[in-house]
Amino acid sequence: RRKKMYIVKNIQRIIFVMLLCGMLLASIPARAAEVAVVDIVRVIDASSPGKAGQEYIDKVRAELDAELSSYVKGLGNSKEAASLTEQKRLELARRFDQEFFYVLNILMKNLKEVAHGWLNNNKRGAKVIVAGGSVLAVSSGVDVSEDILRLFNEVKVDFTKGR
């Protein structure tokens, strides 16, 4: 139940950030031929870096869950077990959030680099890439998610590097 709450909470954060970015980009005036759209969530979910990030997060979650279980067992029947357990759970939740956003930042940094590379070399005349999650409707001709996904799959990310 807690795990689902963390996942839902983090998904809500991602959607909020995407909508905010989309609103900012949507305010840029551009002709239709100059706009390309990318479904960021779909690209990250389907990509090799995104799957590696999910594996990393799943591993972190398992390690934190094991740490909490071990901690609770070590408390025994202490009078303060409930409050100490809650404090530990909150500490581990903060650590999880830090790791989650660490992974998200790496993915977005790499995705932006790929998107800039595509934008600089595209033959469609696109001058702007807009996040698909913030667009009400999109013509299939401006959706370049598959192109970005293909390029993003070539990116190798090591989430343990620098940790």
Side-chain angles (χ1 to χ4, degrees):
R1 177 161 164 79
R2 288 182 184 155
K3 185 176 181 180
K4 286 183 183 179
M5 287 178 21
Y6 289 124
I7 293 171
V8 169
K9 182 179 170 184
N10 288 323
I11 289 173
Q12 289 171 338
R13 288 177 181 165
I14 292 170
I15 291 170
F16 174 75
V17 169
M18 287 177 43
L19 289 175
L20 183 61
C21 291
M23 286 187 287
L24 293 172
L25 290 175
S27 66
I28 298 171
R31 294 187 308 241
E34 295 178 342
V35 176
V37 177
V38 173
D39 185 340
I40 295 173
V41 173
R42 184 170 56 105
V43 169
I44 289 176
D45 283 348
S47 70
S48 298
K51 290 175 183 174
Q54 186 61 54
E55 286 177 22
Y56 178 82
I57 288 298
D58 290 344
K59 182 181 175 200
V60 167
R61 166 59 56 210
E63 290 170 359
L64 295 175
D65 287 346
E67 184 176 334
L68 181 61
S69 293
S70 175
Y71 181 78
V72 169
K73 286 178 187 173
L75 290 175
N77 292 329
S78 164
K79 292 180 191 178
E80 301 170 342
S83 66
L84 291 173
T85 299
E86 185 60 20
Q87 287 175 358
K88 185 67 168 179
R89 189 191 64 72
L90 291 173
E91 172 195 326
L92 296 176
R94 281 191 297 275
R95 282 179 34 201
F96 177 81
D97 286 347
Q98 289 172 339
E99 291 295 324
F100 180 85
F101 285 107
Y102 166 75
V103 168
L104 183 60
N105 287 334
I106 290 173
L107 289 171
M108 290 305 295
K109 176 184 163 281
N110 282 282
L111 184 58
K112 285 178 183 179
E113 288 173 6
V114 165
H116 281 286
W118 180 91
L119 196 59
N120 291 333
N121 297 310
N122 83 87
K123 307 273 190 268
R124 298 180 186 204
K127 305 277 188 234
V128 176
I129 299 176
V130 178
S134 63
V135 177
L136 186 58
V138 177
S139 169
S140 62
V142 296
D143 186 346
V144 297
S145 298
E146 291 301 318
D147 293 346
I148 300 298
L149 174 61
R150 189 176 13 51
L151 294 170
F152 196 42
N153 276 331
E154 296 173 10
V155 173
K156 302 297 180 227
V157 180
D158 181 2
F159 295 102
T160 60
K161 204 174 196 179
R163 282 319 249 174

